[in-house]
């Protein structure tokens, strides 16, 4: 009987590629390594926008109409040093936090009721369809009649601007949770609030976080708009009232400084506060790469 075993020739063995050797990664230059950082790219975008602002302001040459970035920065630092802008920003943020917290609490209550019964879901969907398209600032005249010239009227419109966005996104996130996860929670004996807390909230948190971001944006611009129109109704007056006062006095650089403060606070909340929450929850739980 002949031997049918095939033997590879030495040249074939020599030319056979070895698959167990890991590929050599291409070295990354320091510039490319820095460019891969997200905050560096965003800082470059802000720098380009500031240069465009400065160039247009200098080309126009009319500080009363459009101050340059350097003039706005001087006014911003001057109002920071005098303590005016910090006091106005603190007044606005105090009102915002109260309205935002109440809106979150009411949204949590509504979505918990909606997830527990068909009537609750129909109630939430009906209320959201009715009131979510209604601009919050349009309710301010009524709020002034009901709550008077005080902080309560502004808080009322803030709650309206926050409530429906958060409730809608949270309810959509709850409905998107798979039945498998729900059954796992039920098998562990979780019911109602415990099921919402341990199963539904972690699974739906990306949608909840989106609702929190949208609610924050709505509340922030509603607050500034309310202070611009009815500035004294927010108590001591916030950033919107600061902008309104300086507009009447034709202090355009201070107006831009107030708008610059609004933008900085928005950037801080979005890129620091919400980004930190996202890293500690969504990415940690493996819901986002």
């Amino acid at each position: 009987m002949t031997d049918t075993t095939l033997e590879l020739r030495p040249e074939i063995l020599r030319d056979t590629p070895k698959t167990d050797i890991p590929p050599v990664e291409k070295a990354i230059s320091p510039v490319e390594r820095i460019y891969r950082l997200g905050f560096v790219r965003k800082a470059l975008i802000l720098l380009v926008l500031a240069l465009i602002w400065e160039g247009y302001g200098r080309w126009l040459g009319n500080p009363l109409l459009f101050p340059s970035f350097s003039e706005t920065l001087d006014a911003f630092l001057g109002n920071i040093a005098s303590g005016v802008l910090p006091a106005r920003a603190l007044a606005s943020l105090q009102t915002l936090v109260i309205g935002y917290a109440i809106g979150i609490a009411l949204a949590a209550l509504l979505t918990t009721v909606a997830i527990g019964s068909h009537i609750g879901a129909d109630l939430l969907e009906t209320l959201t369809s009715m009131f979510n398209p209604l601009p919050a600032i349009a309710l301010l005249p009524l709020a002034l009649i009901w709550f008077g010239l005080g902080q309560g009227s502004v808080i009322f419109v803030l709650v309206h601007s926050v409530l429906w966005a958060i409730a809608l996104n949270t309810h959509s996130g709850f409905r998107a949770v798979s039945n498998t996860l729900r059954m796992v929670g039920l098998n562990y004996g979780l019911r109602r609030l415990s099921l919402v807390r341990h199963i539904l909230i972690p699974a739906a948190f990306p949608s909840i976080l989106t609702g929190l971001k949208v609610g924050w944006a709505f509340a922030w611009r509603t607050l500034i708009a309310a202070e611009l129109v009815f500035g004294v109704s927010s108590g001591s007056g916030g950033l919107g009232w600061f902008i309104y006062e300086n507009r009447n006095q034709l202090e355009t650089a201070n107006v831009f400084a107030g708008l610059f403060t609004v933008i900085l606070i928005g950037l801080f909340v979005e890129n620091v506060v919400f980004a930190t929450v996202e890293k500690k929850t969504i990415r940690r739980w493996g819901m986002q790469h």
Side-chain angles (χ1 to χ4, degrees):
M1 181 178 294
T2 59
D3 189 7
T4 58
T5 302
L6 298 178
E7 295 183 0
L8 296 177
R9 297 196 301 273
E11 60 271 19
I12 297 178
L13 291 174
R14 187 170 53 250
D15 295 337
T16 302
K18 297 181 179 181
T19 58
D20 58 343
I21 301 177
V24 179
E25 295 184 359
K26 182 181 178 180
I28 301 176
S29 64
V31 176
E32 186 176 358
R33 189 178 295 111
I34 295 174
Y35 181 76
R36 289 187 176 185
L37 300 175
F39 72 92
V40 174
R41 297 194 300 271
K42 292 178 181 179
L44 289 175
I45 293 173
L46 294 176
L47 179 60
V48 171
L49 292 176
L51 292 175
I52 294 174
W53 181 354
E54 178 70 18
Y56 180 73
R58 290 179 178 272
W59 174 80
L60 192 63
N62 189 349
L64 183 62
L65 182 63
F66 192 91
S68 64
F69 178 76
S70 58
E71 293 169 336
T72 302
L73 189 60
D74 289 340
F76 173 76
L77 295 176
N79 283 283
I80 289 289
S82 65
V84 175
L85 270 179
R88 300 300 180 88
L90 181 61
S92 293
L93 289 174
Q94 286 176 342
T95 306
L96 178 69
V97 168
I98 296 173
Y100 193 64
I102 296 175
I104 291 175
L106 292 177
L109 178 63
L110 281 176
T111 49
T112 302
V113 172
I115 206 66
S117 65
H118 293 293
I119 297 178
D122 293 338
L123 175 64
L124 178 59
E125 291 177 0
T126 302
L127 292 177
T128 303
S129 301
M130 290 171 55
F131 295 113
N132 192 37
L134 186 63
I137 196 66
L139 296 176
L140 188 55
L142 289 176
L144 291 173
I145 296 174
W146 294 340
F147 300 100
L149 292 173
Q151 194 179 39
S153 58
V154 178
I155 291 176
F156 176 80
V157 296
L158 289 179
V159 171
H160 172 80
S161 64
V162 171
L163 172 59
W164 310 114
I166 296 179
L168 183 62
N169 281 274
T170 303
H171 188 238
S172 299
F174 285 171
R175 293 179 63 182
V177 176
S178 65
N179 289 328
T180 303
L181 284 177
R182 296 172 185 267
M183 293 175 63
V184 169
L186 293 174
N187 289 335
Y188 275 97
L190 301 179
R191 297 293 185 275
R192 296 185 180 274
L193 293 179
S194 58
L195 181 67
V196 172
R197 177 183 176 186
H198 296 287
I199 299 295
L200 296 183
I201 290 180
F205 199 77
S207 297
I208 296 174
L209 185 60
T210 300
L212 292 173
K213 289 181 179 180
V214 174
W216 147 259
F218 284 176
W220 186 227
R221 66 190 186 189
T222 298
L223 175 64
I224 300 302
E227 290 178 345
L228 278 168
V229 181
F230 303 98
V232 293
S233 67
S234 64
S236 60
L239 284 172
W241 186 241
F242 173 82
I243 296 170
Y244 181 79
E245 283 182 317
N246 285 279
R247 193 269 296 177
N248 289 338
Q249 298 169 7
L250 297 181
E251 296 288 345
T252 312
N254 287 338
V255 172
F256 274 70
L259 296 173
F260 187 64
T261 306
V262 173
I263 292 172
L264 288 180
I265 293 175
L267 289 174
F268 175 81
V269 172
E270 181 71 25
N271 295 283
V272 177
V273 177
F274 283 120
T276 302
V277 173
E278 184 177 358
K279 289 179 181 179
K280 292 184 177 297
T281 54
I282 297 178
R283 295 179 183 176
R284 176 185 173 185
W285 295 335
M287 298 177 184
Q288 190 180 76
H289 302 287

